[in-house]
Every structure is written in structure tokens, then in C-alpha cells.
């Protein structure tokens, strides 16, 4: 676990990862988590959903929570508060082109995301699985054609863990103006530089006019490590990766046992005291 810095109570911002954190392993929202998030909002805490998902895959979860608040999608590359776009950063076209070429060579399943568009060259078991999780359907087209309409917010590489490990190592050897982040063992997210979840938290703090010490973040995987370190209180889920657990101040129960609710009630009430 990380060395805890000074936390300024009361907490005023709650940044929540979605998959593996807010949702259980069946990708459902536990009622205990919904009640806890509403409790935090009633105490004046701003709730920000912060996920690698595209915005249209976050919207149903935000609606189910019943708590209005900003949304950071694509791992922080796009942040919206209502109709206002607070932050918008894209991958360089040349970096995207390089990843597309290498993914074809290595047979990696590759998705391109921009705003509400999801593009793949062909359907496979990985894109079908992602569609089942998010409730979305991709547009089929050559990814170079998708790039012609604008730079993407992110690329998602999917495959067996060993295959993704090999692809990750190949990309590390390239000069690539992008961040390489693992959101789970089978997923590699290609994100714009300086647009990760930690930057999203800091952007939200600036937007709200509060210090980062008054922010709490909850996550479960390597992609959340910088976020947990940036927050005044960083919470890793009991099902979290080793890296996430080491980056955290506190370990919650796993996502099948309402770990988000346990963390919220522990830290928000602690802050009031």
C-alpha cells in the first residue's frame, strides 16, 4: 500500500471506476452501491464516473445511479459535465496508424473509439464480448477510413493475456506518442498522453475549485494506479490487481460484496467526524 498523505476532510469529490469496481462480476449495479453513492451525493460529494468505456456505455449506469455528475470516459480523454465538454484529448493519427498496422500483423482484435463511435474491421469473439458488456454494437469499416473522419479518443486491443503481453512488449519498443495501460489481463488500452485517470481527477478538482486531497478514488486494475495515488484517499477493490492494491491507501471488499459501499460509508463518515 502507498504511504498515505494528508487528506483534507470532508471529502468533496468521489471518482468511481465502473467495471470491476462499481459493477459486480455479472456487470450489474449492486443496490448497496447505489444507496452508498446516493448517500455520498446527499452529503454534498460530487460523484464522477471515470471509466475506459465510451460515454454512451456509461450513460445507463449514471442513470441507474440516479446521481447527476460529471463523466470521464475513455479513461479520462473526454470529460463532460452535462452539455459542457471540460476536457477533450485525442491520439495522434500517426500513433493510431502504427497500432493498426501492428495489430493486423499480430492478429490482435482492435477497436477504435471516437466520441460515440465504435469501429472495428471485423466482428470476433472479443468485440462480441465487449458488446455484451457495454450494450453497444460496433460499426464495421477499415480503421484507416475511421481515422479519416478524425483522431480517436482511444484504441482498445483485446486478446488472450499471453497474446496481449506480447503485443504490449512490441508496442513498448516503438516510438509511440501514447499511453499503454492494462485495464484487465486481456485488454490493452492505447490512450492519449497526459489524459489518464489521474489527470481526469486533477481536472475535476480544478473544475470544482477543490484540492486533490479532498478527492476519493476507487478502482481495481493497473489503469487505476495513478488515479489512486493522485487522490487524497485511494481505495483498491479486494479483487484488484497487485499494482492497484499497492497504490491504494485502503483495500475494500471485492466487487461481488459491495466494496464501493463499504469504502464510501467508511471514508465519508470518517470525514464527517
Amino acid at each position: 500500500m502507498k504511504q498515505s498523505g494528508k487528506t483534507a476532510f470532508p471529502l468533496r469529490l468521489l471518482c468511481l471506476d465502473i467495471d470491476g469496481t462499481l459493477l459486480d462480476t455479472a456487470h450489474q449495479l449492486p443496490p448497496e452501491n447505489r444507496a452508498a453513492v446516493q448517500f455520498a451525493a446527499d452529503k454534498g460529494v460530487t460523484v464522477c464516473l471515470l471509466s475506459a468505456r465510451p460515454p454512451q456505455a456509461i450513460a445507463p449506469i449514471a442513470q441507474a445511479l440516479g446521481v447527476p455528475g460529471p463523466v470521464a470516459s475513455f479513461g479520462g480523454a473526454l470529460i463532460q459535465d452535462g452539455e459542457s465538454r471540460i476536457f477533450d484529448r485525442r491520439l495522434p493519427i500517426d500513433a493510431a496508424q502504427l497500432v493498426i498496422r501492428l495489430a493486423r500483423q499480430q492478429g490482435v482484435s482492435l477497436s477504435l473509439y471516437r466520441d460515440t463511435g465504435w469501429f472495428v474491421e471485423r466482428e470476433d469473439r472479443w468485440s462480441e464480448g465487449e458488446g455484451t458488456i457495454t450494450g453497444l454494437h460496433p460499426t464495421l469499416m477499415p480503421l484507416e477510413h475511421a481515422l479519416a473522419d478524425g483522431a480517436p479518443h482511444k484504441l482498445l486491443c483485446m486478446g488472450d493475456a499471453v497474446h496481449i503481453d506480447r503485443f504490449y512488449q512490441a508496442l513498448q519498443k516503438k516510438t509511440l506518442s501514447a499511453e499503454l495501460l492494462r485495464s484487465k489481463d486481456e485488454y490493452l488500452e492505447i490512450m492519449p498522453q497526459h489524459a489518464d485517470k489521474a489527470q481526469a481527477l486533477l481536472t475535476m478538482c480544478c473544475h470544482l475549485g477543490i484540492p486533490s486531497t479532498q478527492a476519493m478514488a476507487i478502482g481495481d486494475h493497473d489503469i487505476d494506479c495513478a488515479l489512486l495515488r493522485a487522490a487524497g484517499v485511494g481505495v483498491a477493490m479486494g479483487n484488484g490487481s497487485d499494482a492497484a492494491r499497492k497504490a491504494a491507501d485502503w483495500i475494500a471488499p471485492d466487487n461481488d460484496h459491495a466494496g464501493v459501499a463499504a469504502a464510501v460509508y467508511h471514508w465519508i463518515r470518517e470525514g464527517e467526524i
Side-chain angles (χ1 to χ4, degrees), residues 184-205:
K184 54 184 178 180
D185 293 345
E186 299 83 8
Y187 283 22
L188 174 63
E189 314 270 356
I190 315 293
M191 316 291 294
Q193 289 182 324
H194 312 300
D196 62 8
K197 291 186 176 185
Q199 180 59 51
L201 179 142
L202 297 176
T203 299
M204 281 306 310
C205 288

Side-chain angles (χ1 to χ4, degrees), residues 30-172:
E32 299 92 337
N33 286 351
R34 181 190 297 111
V37 172
Q38 291 175 346
F39 166 83
D42 289 343
K43 295 296 182 184
V45 177
T46 297
V47 178
C48 176
L49 294 181
L50 180 49
S51 172
R53 290 181 177 224
Q56 72 273 29
I58 300 175
I61 299 161
Q63 185 175 11
L65 278 176
V67 173
V71 171
S73 50
F74 304 122
L78 177 63
I79 307 176
Q80 296 166 289
D81 192 357
E83 296 300 316
S84 300
R85 188 166 288 207
I86 301 170
F87 186 87
D88 186 340
R89 186 159 291 169
R90 315 292 180 97
L91 280 166
I93 294 288
D94 59 347
Q97 290 170 332
L98 188 155
V99 174
I100 291 168
R101 289 196 299 270
L102 192 60
R104 284 200 190 111
Q105 293 170 10
Q106 297 203 8
V108 169
S109 178
L110 184 64
S111 293
L112 183 151
Y113 292 89
R114 182 182 57 248
D115 290 313
T116 57
W118 172 22
F119 305 93
V120 300
E121 294 192 327
R122 69 187 68 84
E123 284 271 32
D124 56 26
R125 69 185 179 97
W126 296 104
S127 61
E128 289 171 358
E130 182 68 4
T132 299
I133 292 170
T134 62
L136 305 178
H137 299 284
T139 299
L140 301 180
M141 70 165 61
L143 294 184
E144 287 89 352
H145 294 182
L147 280 179
D149 290 329
H153 283 102
K154 79 162 187 173
L155 299 172
L156 172 61
C157 313
M158 296 179 284
D160 295 326
V162 173
H163 201 177
I164 292 299
D165 285 342
R166 189 180 307 121
F167 189 63
Y168 178 72
Q169 291 166 8
L171 286 177
Q172 285 184 311

Side-chain angles (χ1 to χ4, degrees), residues 2 7 9 11 212-213 215-217 228 231-235 249-250 267:
K2 73 177 182 179
T7 300
F9 290 112
L11 296 171
S212 61
T213 52
M216 174 179 173
L228 302 184
V233 176
V235 175
D249 298 298
W250 198 74
W267 286 99

